[in-house]
Amino acid sequence: MTPDAPPKPIRTAEVIAVGSELLGSTRVDTNSLFLADRLSSLGIELRAKSVVGDNRRELAEHLRRSLERVDLVILSGGLGPTDDDVTRDAVSDALGVPLVEHPEIVDRLRERFARRGLQMPDVNRRQALILEGGVVLSNPNGTAPGQMIVRGHQAIVLLPGPPRELKAMMDVLVSGDGALAKHASRERLFRTTLFVVGRGESHVEEVAQPVYSKWLRHEPPIETTILAAPGQVELHLMTRSPDAADADRALARARDELIAALGGDVFSIDGRSMEEIVGQLLLDRHLTIAAAESCTGGLMMSRLTDVPGSSAYVLGGAVAYSNELKTSLADVDPALIAAHGAVSEPVAVALAEGIRKRAGASIGVGITGIAGPTGGTPEKPVGTVAIAVIAPDGAAHVRTFSLFGTRTMIKFWSSQYAMNMVRRLLIS
């Protein structure tokens, strides 16, 4: 049986994960990520997701507030047979709809236990309680059936918490003839993302906001979200349209406007990481690379070699952490270190030149810095990192960065900026 269609299409949704264990430090709600993806495939925008403990009164109140905001609420978990499985009761309270026992569900549960040579505990009858007017959603992988009820222009879906059960049931709901697919709008959601390096989130916003602020008045309108992520800033563009070609054209125009504003700081528009972008540029130009790394401890080479096929352009490198190894592995003159310090542009250049010659690479990279939390001085505080790139023609490109954050963050940012210097060299 399929629920009657709401009088208008479902466009917005919230997800409520139910379970006190999800409020602790050992269990994470991963179902909402899967649900967000499946809802997006129908053009249903997920507006919020939350976790509520096993409290009937609090869950009922939370559901009431959700129904004030969205067309669809999906609750995951709390459909088991025990007293702390309160989802059915809370939804009943919130909607003012009684629960009715379905004898056929009780019979199926008994048969399921009998096939395993067991007698069904009487508490499992709770799993046969269905909201009056609701539709049972079969669960091929477990004992707890789901349910869906349509109330006016809204729908509420109850799904079990175990991912193996929830995913199979949700896939049926969003399939071509599934209940949610039938209730969704003809419009779909379309997205594209730009990845920016070399600018902070506020600096990206300063440039991008005058560009994207006018898009909400376009047809179709385009929404923009800016997200700061490790080593980069992300610009997420989203539009809603019944026509994929129209949406793609609108997103492409918007993307091109942002690229024109942000220039070469946009390093990826297709989801590829910095190491993938740099690797492809090296491959396309038949160039090779080697690096001598100090503060990054080999992180740049590790990231480059995470890409399949990187042996075509990565020759190798050295972790020259001590001053002695800077000399023995990358031919850095000890007098240069004595004169300028290990963390300096002359030493970064020497590291890049030395490893390039030793490896016979087209491009050499040298990274030296202070990752902290100790080791800084007033002249060279923690986060001071000198990076040099030697081009195929022997020209040196060097820059000193002042980075912030934990030791791990400084190491990652250093590797990101080093690869970005290589990228900028290769596209110039």
Side-chain angles (χ1 to χ4, degrees), residues 18 23 31 61-62 67 124 257 395 406:
V18 182
L23 295 170
N31 285 332
E61 179 57 31
H62 198 88
L67 290 170
N124 280 88
E257 287 185 49
T406 64

Side-chain angles (χ1 to χ4, degrees), residues 300 365 367 387 389 413-422:
M300 177 181 166
V365 179
I367 307 172
I387 301 174
V389 176
W413 272 103
S414 299
S415 69
Q416 186 82 339
Y417 278 134
M419 285 191 285
N420 189 50
M421 287 177 66
V422 175

Side-chain angles (χ1 to χ4, degrees), residues 137-140 144-146 159-160 165-173:
L137 306 175
S138 63
N139 181 356
L159 297 175
E165 300 175 33
L166 175 143
K167 290 180 178 180
M169 297 169 73
M170 188 65 181
D171 281 339
V172 171
L173 284 170

Side-chain angles (χ1 to χ4, degrees), residues 302-344:
S302 175
R303 291 178 61 190
L304 283 173
T305 55
D306 282 342
V307 181
S310 55
S311 59
Y313 47 84
V314 174
L315 296 187
V319 178
Y321 211 63
S322 70
N323 290 346
E324 291 76 17
L325 286 183
K326 288 178 175 64
T327 297
S328 62
L329 296 179
D331 300 326
V332 178
D333 188 342
L336 200 65
I337 297 175
H340 301 280
V343 179
S344 63

Side-chain angles (χ1 to χ4, degrees), residues 291-299 318-323 326 342-343 347-348 351 365-371 385-386 407 411 414:
E293 302 181 58
S294 181
C295 66
T296 46
L299 181 58
V319 178
Y321 211 63
S322 70
N323 290 346
K326 288 178 175 64
V343 179
V347 170
L351 285 168
V365 179
I367 307 172
T368 179
I370 306 167
V385 180
R407 182 179 181 87
K411 289 175 66 176
S414 299

Side-chain angles (χ1 to χ4, degrees), residues 33-34 49 60 81 115 148 175 209 235 251 298 350 388 397:
L33 300 176
F34 173 83
K49 52 185 178 180
R115 286 196 299 270
M148 178 173 176
S175 64
Q209 196 276 340
L235 283 158
L251 289 173
H397 304 263

Side-chain angles (χ1 to χ4, degrees), residues 101 199 205 273 306 401:
E101 183 178 277
R199 299 178 191 238
E205 167 75 356
S273 65
D306 282 342
F401 297 88

Side-chain angles (χ1 to χ4, degrees), residues 191-196 232 235 255 259 266-278 280 284:
R191 294 182 171 89
T192 191
T193 304
L194 291 80
F195 297 89
V196 181
Q232 62 197 33
L235 283 158
R255 181 194 64 211
I259 292 173
V266 177
F267 72 88
S268 177
I269 59 172
D270 55 12
R272 286 183 297 164
S273 65
M274 178 67 79
E275 48 266 40
E276 291 175 299
I277 294 291
V278 170
Q280 191 62 53
D284 292 343

